[in-house]
Amino acid sequence: MEHFRSAVDGSRQHDCPEDFDLAQAQFAPLACAIPDLQISGRKNRFRVDLHLGALCPDGITYAYSGICQQSSSAYFDLENQKSSPGGNMSLSNASPLNPSVALTARVTALSFLLMVADSYDVAALSFAVPELIRTWYVDKVAIGGVFSAGLFGLLVGSILFGYVGDRWGRKTAIVVGSLLFGLVTYATGWATNLNELLVYRFVACVGLGGAVPNAVALTNEFAPKHLRVTAITVIFAGYAIGGTFGGVVSAQLVSAYGWPIIFQVGGAASLLLAVALIVVLPESQSFLAATAARARDATSAVVRAASEEGSNSPFMQLFAGRRSFMTTLLWIVYVANSITLFALVSWLPVLIEAAGLPRSAAALALSCFFLGGAVGGLIVGYIIDRSGLRALVGSALLACPVVASLGVLSSSEALLLSAATVAGFFTIGVQNSLHGVAGSIYPTPIRANGLGWALGIGKVGSIVGPFIGGILLSMSLPVAQLFCAAAVPIGVVAIAAFFLMRIYDRSIHAEALSPAADPRPSAASA
């Protein structure tokens, strides 16, 4: 191993090679040190194939590919490389190119399906509430307590599994969380009273809360740097679609099978997905790299960089440097937007029925709300990747009047469904793109933890929103006033997002758009 390190660090830095022959000659010491190592490629990029799984325990392979397996490949961009002190260059300073498009697509697709299952489970109680009120003869305030218990479970799961993801791997946290919420959601159909329902929802939501931040972190780490927010909004389009499926199941099956069918369908689908995740979901290459870095010699340049991130407690790292202001503003935006979003998700069907529209219209309105959010998240996220957080601020400003208008338009089913779609476009659009922004703020060693805390703190708003909504409903206020109250927190979102934009656009967004941010080989390069 020492011979290998000497061969790497002893490679003399020359001018940027004009063709592969020079690149191969420059790094020939690697091939001499390790017979099974192959170098191939052309021009300014070349490929290194390591067929030595034994290198992984000492953390050597990660510096080049981040993959720990018997046969692994790494791509390096020789452009923009500078000499280290003394004229030597270490490959640990080279930039490993991003995973293949196929692997990125697989991770994105699996995370998308996870969000479908997650959203269905979160919305399941909302669709079951009208039937529960009729069959169990419970009041709205008591149901609000069940909503809040589930959201508190999301908070606990986000923070707890965020640490698990950074410590034992994104895949481990995602699979365990998926199995937990699948099993408990299926069992929820056998609840016989509110106390049992409350316990089931809390435990299921711990699993839900744990899977989501790790799925976001995993997708972020497989996505191209200049499209990370877009990639996150793609997977959260599944969140919106899951809510739509819930509306369909509620409208078509509840009248025949009762409210338990909502949870049984969701739980069975989640368990099937968990099995698929075990089989085909890969572990994060960036996580493997960070894990290997912690195991290497403390004098390594990579470990010294990692130690800068690990010198404080995992929580304090969230506030290191420029992240001190960004984390605070990010949490404010999460809390404020979650108050409105989850109040609407929890009580929109009940409010629409209270306005005199039929139950089918109430279910469709929530489905339209989720569908609008799926489209809104994609569009807002793409604009953020291109032009920064101006799209986030603008969406919040537009969401305020649209949410308030829901109470005015509730007399017409067509107008209400249209307004619910637009409200979802902006409200869920802000939330979905915010997940991508959070994933870009935090580096790999603390990404799942940072996302877990952001989502967990956001659950404070998720708990408060439905609870306040239940209290306001019990006061028999006009429906128009209730929707106006729901729009107020979005004004706070716009203000906090504006100040976050001032920092994010000058740092994170500027780095993502830099020419060296996302080196990627062409098909011919390898």
Side-chain angles (χ1 to χ4, degrees):
M1 292 305 169
E2 292 303 323
H3 182 40
F4 177 76
R5 289 195 185 97
S6 298
V8 175
D9 293 333
S11 300
R12 180 67 60 177
Q13 170 67 50
H14 303 290
D15 294 334
C16 183
E18 296 299 331
D19 55 38
F20 169 68
D21 292 335
L22 289 179
Q24 189 177 38
Q26 178 177 343
F27 291 92
L30 290 176
C32 295
I34 302 179
D36 289 334
L37 181 145
Q38 302 171 1
I39 303 177
S40 59
R42 66 184 185 181
K43 292 189 177 179
N44 290 331
R45 295 189 178 97
F46 68 97
R47 169 173 165 172
V48 176
D49 289 317
L50 295 175
H51 299 283
L52 294 176
L55 291 178
C56 295
D58 283 339
I60 300 296
T61 304
Y62 89 94
Y64 315 109
S65 69
I67 306 174
C68 201
Q69 56 188 30
Q70 281 301 116
S71 177
S72 57
S73 301
Y75 296 88
F76 301 94
D77 195 336
L78 298 182
E79 297 177 290
N80 302 312
Q81 295 300 316
K82 298 180 180 179
S83 299
S84 58
N88 293 334
M89 186 183 91
S90 170
L91 277 183
S92 62
N93 293 325
S95 299
L97 301 184
N98 285 336
S100 67
V101 174
L103 190 58
T104 301
R106 187 206 308 174
V107 171
T108 303
L110 290 170
S111 296
F112 176 91
L113 293 175
L114 180 67
M115 295 304 162
V116 172
D118 181 299
S119 172
Y120 180 100
D121 190 273
V122 169
L125 183 60
S126 299
F127 291 116
V129 161
E131 188 68 19
L132 285 171
I133 292 175
R134 279 187 285 268
T135 57
W136 285 3
Y137 304 102
V138 294
D139 59 39
K140 298 180 179 66
V141 175
I143 292 289
V146 178
F147 278 121
S148 296
L151 294 170
F152 183 69
L154 292 174
L155 185 155
V156 173
S158 296
I159 296 174
L160 175 63
F161 279 77
Y163 173 78
V164 170
D166 281 338
R167 182 67 179 84
W168 288 287
R170 322 299 195 213
K171 179 177 180 177
T172 298
I174 291 170
V175 169
V176 172
S178 300
L179 289 172
L180 181 61
F181 77 72
L183 286 168
V184 180
T185 296
Y186 190 86
T188 303
W190 280 274
T192 58
N193 56 63
L194 276 182
N195 290 333
E196 291 181 5
L197 185 63
L198 187 148
V199 172
Y200 280 130
R201 294 307 298 161
F202 172 79
V203 177
C205 288
V206 168
L208 282 170
V212 172
N214 285 281
V216 173
L218 188 67
T219 304
N220 179 284
E221 289 158 4
F222 274 94
K225 201 167 189 178
H226 65 286
L227 289 175
R228 285 180 172 175
V229 177
T230 303
I232 301 305
T233 59
V234 167
I235 70 170
F236 273 94
Y239 195 93
I241 292 173
T244 303
F245 285 158
V248 173
V249 171
S250 175
Q252 301 297 323
L253 300 180
V254 169
S255 59
Y257 299 99
W259 63 266
I261 193 65
I262 299 175
F263 297 100
Q264 290 164 357
V265 169
S270 297
L271 289 173
L272 290 175
L273 176 61
V275 174
L277 294 172
I278 293 171
V279 176
V280 298
L281 183 68
E283 183 54 272
S284 165
Q285 298 180 19
S286 297
F287 167 77
L288 293 174
T291 301
R294 290 192 291 266
R296 288 193 62 185
D297 187 347
T299 61
S300 165
V302 179
V303 170
R304 287 200 301 271
S307 66
E308 293 175 2
E309 293 293 345
S311 58
N312 297 317
S313 68
F315 178 78
M316 293 306 298
Q317 291 174 43
L318 306 181
F319 297 90
R322 67 190 179 191
R323 293 196 295 270
S324 59
F325 292 105
M326 286 196 290
T327 294
T328 302
L329 292 169
L330 182 71
W331 288 5
I332 292 173
V333 174
Y334 261 113
V335 170
N337 198 69
S338 295
I339 289 175
T340 295
L341 175 59
F342 281 86
L344 291 176
V345 169
S346 300
W347 294 113
L348 188 59
V350 176
L351 287 171
I352 292 174
E353 284 195 47
L357 294 175
R359 188 187 353 167
S360 59
L364 286 174
L366 189 55
S367 296
C368 289
F369 182 78
F370 279 114
L371 281 175
V375 178
L378 292 171
I379 294 176
V380 174
Y382 182 79
I383 296 174
I384 288 175
D385 274 329
R386 288 289 179 264
S387 60
L389 293 191
R390 289 189 292 272
L392 189 70
V393 177
S395 295
L397 290 173
L398 291 172
C400 283
V402 174
V403 171
S405 72
L406 290 172
V408 178
L409 301 175
S410 58
S411 58
S412 168
E413 182 173 342
L415 289 176
L416 177 66
L417 295 179
S418 299
T421 303
V422 177
F425 181 99
F426 290 117
T427 307
I428 300 179
V430 166
Q431 193 82 357
N432 289 358
S433 58
L434 197 60
H435 302 319
V437 171
S440 299
I441 287 175
Y442 301 107
T444 299
I446 60 170
R447 181 167 290 126
N449 191 42
L451 283 163
W453 273 99
L455 292 170
I457 293 297
K459 295 304 179 289
V460 173
S462 305
I463 294 168
V464 170
F467 188 73
I468 293 177
I471 293 175
L472 294 177
L473 277 168
S474 67
M475 296 170 62
S476 300
L477 295 174
V479 173
Q481 290 185 20
L482 294 173
F483 281 111
C484 285
V488 172
I490 305 180
V492 178
V493 171
I495 296 171
F498 172 79
F499 289 104
L500 179 61
M501 174 187 71
R502 301 290 296 267
I503 306 172
Y504 180 92
D505 286 359
R506 290 198 303 263
S507 55
I508 307 297
H509 181 63
E511 291 172 5
L513 294 182
S514 65
D518 187 36
R520 185 179 285 270
S522 63
S525 299

